[in-house]
Amino acid sequence: MQKLDNTTALRNLSALIDFSNLINSSLDLDFTLNNILLTCLGKFHTTKGIIALVNDSLILEVKASKGVSENVIKSFPALKVEEIYNKQEFNEYLISNSFEILQTINSSAGVKGILILGKKFTNLPYDESDKEFLKTILNVGATAIENSLIVNKLKSVNRELDTKVNQLKSLFDLSKEFSGILQPDKIGKLLVYTLIGHLLVSNYAVIVCEKDNYTFLESSFNENNLKTFLNECLANKFDKPVLSNELKKNYSTIYNAGIELIVPMQIKGETKGLILLGKRKNNLPYSQTDIEFISSLGSLAILSIENAKLFKEMLEKQRMERDLETARNIQKNLLPKTIPELSNLSLVAYNISAKIVGGDYYDIVKLDDDNVLIAIADVSGKGVSASLLMANLQAFLKSICKQKLPLNEATNLINDLVVENTMMGNFITFFWCIFKNSTKQLTYVNAGHNPPLLIRNSTITKLKKGGMILGFLPTTVTYVSETIQLESDDVIVMFTDGITEAMNKNFEEYTDERLEKLVLENSKDEPESILEKIKESVNEFIGGAEQNDDITCLIMKVR
């Protein structure tokens, strides 16, 4: 009997040595688990067994099985290590599936998993020697399992590192690519191609949001379905990635359209666009690493799109500035470069625009040796349109002057020409006069302009005779002119409302009264001196406040 026991012990020892050599010959987890199971089935004469290992969530998960149906594996209950011996659901699972014995797999790091085996062919129960031998097998196998798990973990970490390195390299390359593209649609295409290449995305949409509006840069989804969603949900609601579970729960419309992931594209925490993705072609879920990569990619793309928009706006601004500079040169050339010298009249003029291109105009035309025409006008609007209207006015004025018509008839004609050549809403306030040097007579027509001030003997007379502003309606009521006999030392001040309506920082106007008081006090001075005092007074009043209107002033003094 003693000899038989020794023989059995030697066989078990030999079997354990062979078993140890076998499972330690490989670091493949499946190989190790399958050989543990096969050894147990052969040793204990049973037909089925399961090995479940503890996963990262500390839940037992079936990793290998023999002789067990798929349904039995699927019905393996969610089980923590500490629940192995006291969870009723697990006990019922063992009994209902005729599992006879359970043994934990222990290593120096703790419980790694469990092994469960079915009944023996002989229907004999597992005796103590069987249980001891099973413990021995699993003790030997535990080391092999732990080594295989460590190798698997290392492989997984290496794969993750490789993925990270590839994604980082892609982001670096794309940052250079994006910076060289100034068309948002091309940036959208490059973004989509990158997503397809890295993540095997089946469907996608790249949407740029601006306030309540949105633009599809790229989309393989039904855009009408997405528009319904975008109209219901403002893009700025999405300040972090949203996965399919939340989409299904809170945004069923978009989930039913096939969207699995929404990633906002943000600049300084503000959502400027959205990346919408469908399922991956390999059916893998989007991992946290994938989402971080998509977010980084989206941030690069939206930054480049914003830069492209800013570059386009800068080009447009430069083009407008060139146009305005051209208009400014045109306008400057419209104003007289010299002032005719007359024996009985001193005349000075001043013009400054509030913007690059203003709307004020004045002209001085010597008609012959005895007559000079003086005009001042304020064209509605600013910029290029005002400059063009001003050019029209000058052309009309120069042309009509040569016809030597009476001033009132000439005004009728110039009004009709302006009406024919202006859009609705554009008009001109206009005052012009002819000074006859030999007789000191002044004939004028005022077409809705600020009445020039005639100062004689410390009294102001306003030159109002004329008619309506130019360009408002065709001439039905003819303009009237007035001829006045000027005397020596008479002063006439012509001006635009940029002077009387000049505003200080308290939004107070300079006013007609302040101008009239100033010219009355200084009417005995020479025109140059009066003009300087007006400029000083206005500048002192506004105190550096930005002005919205042009300033033009002409001062005549009869000798």
Side-chain angles (χ1 to χ4, degrees):
M1 188 63 183
Q2 181 65 38
K3 186 177 179 180
L4 181 61
D5 291 343
N6 290 339
T7 302
T8 302
L10 286 172
R11 285 178 182 171
N12 287 343
L13 181 60
S14 176
L16 284 172
I17 292 171
D18 291 342
F19 171 72
S20 176
N21 290 334
L22 178 65
I23 62 172
N24 285 299
S25 65
S26 173
L27 291 174
D28 182 81
L29 183 62
D30 291 337
F31 175 85
T32 302
L33 298 180
N34 283 324
N35 276 288
I36 291 174
L37 271 179
L38 288 172
T39 300
C40 291
L41 297 184
K43 173 63 181 175
F44 301 115
H45 306 295
T46 182
T47 58
K48 62 181 179 181
I50 288 176
I51 294 178
L53 299 181
V54 179
N55 62 21
D56 292 337
S57 302
L58 303 180
I59 302 294
L60 287 165
E61 182 180 353
V62 175
K63 291 292 186 181
S65 66
K66 296 293 179 186
V68 180
S69 69
E70 190 69 24
N71 288 335
V72 173
I73 294 173
K74 286 182 178 178
S75 62
F76 190 87
L79 187 68
K80 294 181 180 178
V81 171
E82 60 269 22
E83 298 172 331
I84 292 174
Y85 297 109
N86 54 22
K87 190 167 185 177
Q88 181 64 26
E89 182 185 359
F90 185 51
N91 289 332
E92 291 174 357
Y93 175 83
L94 295 176
I95 295 170
S96 63
N97 291 293
S98 301
F99 286 107
E100 188 77 13
I101 188 168
L102 178 151
Q103 181 60 50
T104 57
I105 304 171
N106 302 304
S107 73
S108 57
V111 178
K112 307 301 293 183
I114 61 170
L115 178 142
I116 55 177
L117 296 174
K119 293 181 178 178
K120 292 184 176 182
F121 296 148
T122 58
N123 285 325
L124 293 174
Y126 289 86
D127 59 24
E128 287 303 318
S129 64
D130 293 333
K131 293 177 183 176
E132 286 299 322
F133 191 74
L134 180 59
K135 283 183 183 177
T136 305
I137 288 176
L138 294 182
N139 286 339
V140 173
T143 302
I145 291 172
E146 190 164 23
N147 290 338
S148 298
L149 288 172
I150 291 172
V151 169
N152 277 356
K153 187 73 174 177
L154 286 173
K155 287 181 179 177
S156 174
V157 170
N158 282 335
R159 281 196 299 272
E160 193 173 336
L161 279 175
D162 286 343
T163 303
K164 288 277 188 185
V165 168
N166 286 331
Q167 290 180 346
L168 192 60
K169 185 175 183 302
S170 295
L171 288 173
F172 180 72
D173 292 340
L174 283 169
S175 66
K176 292 191 290 186
E177 291 282 340
F178 280 147
S179 63
I181 302 175
L182 296 174
Q183 292 83 27
D185 55 336
K186 290 187 177 179
I187 295 172
K189 286 186 187 300
L190 184 57
L191 171 62
V192 165
Y193 293 155
T194 306
L195 290 172
I196 293 174
H198 276 267
L199 303 172
L200 301 177
V201 174
S202 55
N203 287 308
Y204 50 80
V206 178
I207 301 167
V208 175
C209 309
E210 191 169 8
K211 296 181 180 177
D212 294 339
N213 297 319
Y214 51 83
T215 305
F216 286 91
L217 287 188
E218 289 290 327
S219 177
S220 64
F221 289 107
N222 183 322
E223 290 189 8
N224 288 329
N225 291 340
L226 299 186
K227 285 176 182 175
T228 304
F229 161 72
L230 291 168
N231 289 332
E232 292 174 353
C233 305
L234 297 178
N236 57 19
K237 282 186 176 179
F238 297 94
D239 57 359
K240 61 182 180 180
V242 182
L243 281 162
S244 56
N245 288 341
E246 188 175 345
L247 290 174
K248 186 176 182 179
K249 180 180 177 183
N250 298 323
Y251 306 100
S252 58
T253 303
I254 199 75
Y255 178 79
N256 293 333
I259 307 294
E260 289 281 316
L261 174 66
I262 295 178
V263 177
M265 296 191 288
Q266 295 185 310
I267 297 177
K268 294 181 179 178
E270 183 181 357
T271 300
K272 297 282 188 178
L274 297 173
I275 299 174
L276 281 60
L277 299 178
K279 283 186 177 179
R280 301 174 67 178
K281 290 180 180 176
N282 54 14
N283 288 323
L284 289 177
Y286 291 100
S287 66
Q288 186 59 35
T289 301
D290 296 333
I291 294 172
E292 289 171 0
F293 175 65
I294 297 167
S295 295
S296 300
L297 197 59
S299 296
L300 281 176
I302 197 64
L303 196 60
S304 298
I305 289 169
E306 285 293 303
N307 287 339
K309 287 166 61 179
L310 291 174
F311 183 73
K312 185 178 179 182
E313 289 173 4
M314 184 186 73
L315 291 179
E316 181 66 17
K317 185 180 177 185
Q318 288 178 346
R319 187 190 65 75
M320 290 180 65
E321 287 176 350
R322 285 197 298 272
D323 289 347
L324 287 174
E325 188 61 34
T326 301
R328 178 186 176 87
N329 292 332
I330 292 172
Q331 188 184 49
K332 286 175 68 177
N333 289 328
L334 295 178
L335 302 179
K337 294 180 175 56
T338 58
I339 296 177
E341 292 186 2
L342 298 169
S343 58
N344 291 325
L345 186 69
S346 294
L347 178 61
V348 292
Y350 173 75
N351 168 264
I352 184 169
S353 298
K355 307 293 181 186
I356 294 178
V357 180
D360 281 4
Y361 166 73
Y362 75 91
D363 212 340
I364 303 167
V365 182
K366 189 172 182 179
L367 301 176
D368 52 41
D369 291 340
D370 196 31
N371 292 285
V372 62
L373 183 144
I374 304 161
I376 185 171
D378 188 353
V379 179
S380 65
K382 299 285 185 294
V384 177
S385 63
S387 176
L388 292 174
L389 184 54
M390 192 184 296
N392 269 347
L393 177 64
Q394 190 208 39
F396 299 151
L397 185 145
K398 299 277 187 185
S399 174
I400 291 170
C401 282
K402 293 181 179 178
Q403 298 181 30
K404 297 184 178 180
L405 294 171
L407 207 55
N408 59 328
E409 293 181 21
T411 310
N412 296 338
L413 182 57
I414 203 169
N415 175 59
D416 290 337
L417 288 170
V418 172
V419 168
E420 291 175 8
N421 289 276
T422 57
M423 301 289 288
M424 181 64 72
N426 286 7
F427 57 86
I428 303 170
T429 66
F430 183 66
F431 175 92
W432 62 347
C433 61
I434 295 176
F435 177 75
K436 190 173 184 59
N437 188 56
S438 59
T439 61
K440 299 182 183 179
Q441 285 183 327
L442 184 85
T443 301
Y444 75 90
V445 172
N446 189 337
H449 195 75
N450 296 71
L453 308 176
L454 168 60
I455 301 100
R456 177 183 295 168
N457 299 326
S458 301
T459 303
I460 289 179
T461 302
K462 296 183 178 180
L463 307 182
K464 298 180 179 178
K465 291 281 187 179
M468 64 181 176
I469 56 178
L470 302 182
F472 188 66
L473 289 171
T475 304
T476 52
V477 179
T478 57
Y479 289 87
V480 295
S481 62
E482 182 180 31
T483 300
I484 54 177
Q485 180 63 52
L486 296 179
E487 299 174 2
S488 294
D489 295 331
D490 281 355
V491 173
I492 296 178
V493 178
M494 305 178 195
F495 60 95
T496 56
D497 57 9
I499 292 179
T500 53
E501 296 178 2
M503 282 193 177
N504 61 17
K505 292 178 180 176
N506 297 321
F507 302 103
E508 297 167 333
E509 290 189 354
Y510 185 77
T511 70
D512 290 277
E513 291 75 15
R514 192 174 269 110
L515 176 63
E516 291 167 13
K517 182 173 183 292
L518 179 72
V519 295
L520 276 175
E521 291 173 351
N522 298 279
S523 61
K524 292 182 180 177
D525 294 351
E526 290 302 308
E528 293 84 355
S529 175
I530 299 172
L531 180 60
E532 285 302 315
K533 286 176 180 172
I534 293 173
K535 288 160 60 178
E536 289 174 5
S537 176
V538 171
N539 287 333
E540 183 181 356
F541 176 79
I542 62 178
E546 185 180 359
Q547 299 300 297
N548 293 317
D549 210 349
D550 314 319
I551 290 177
T552 302
C553 185
L554 285 81
I555 298 179
M556 303 165 52
K557 186 160 189 176
V558 181
R559 292 173 180 162

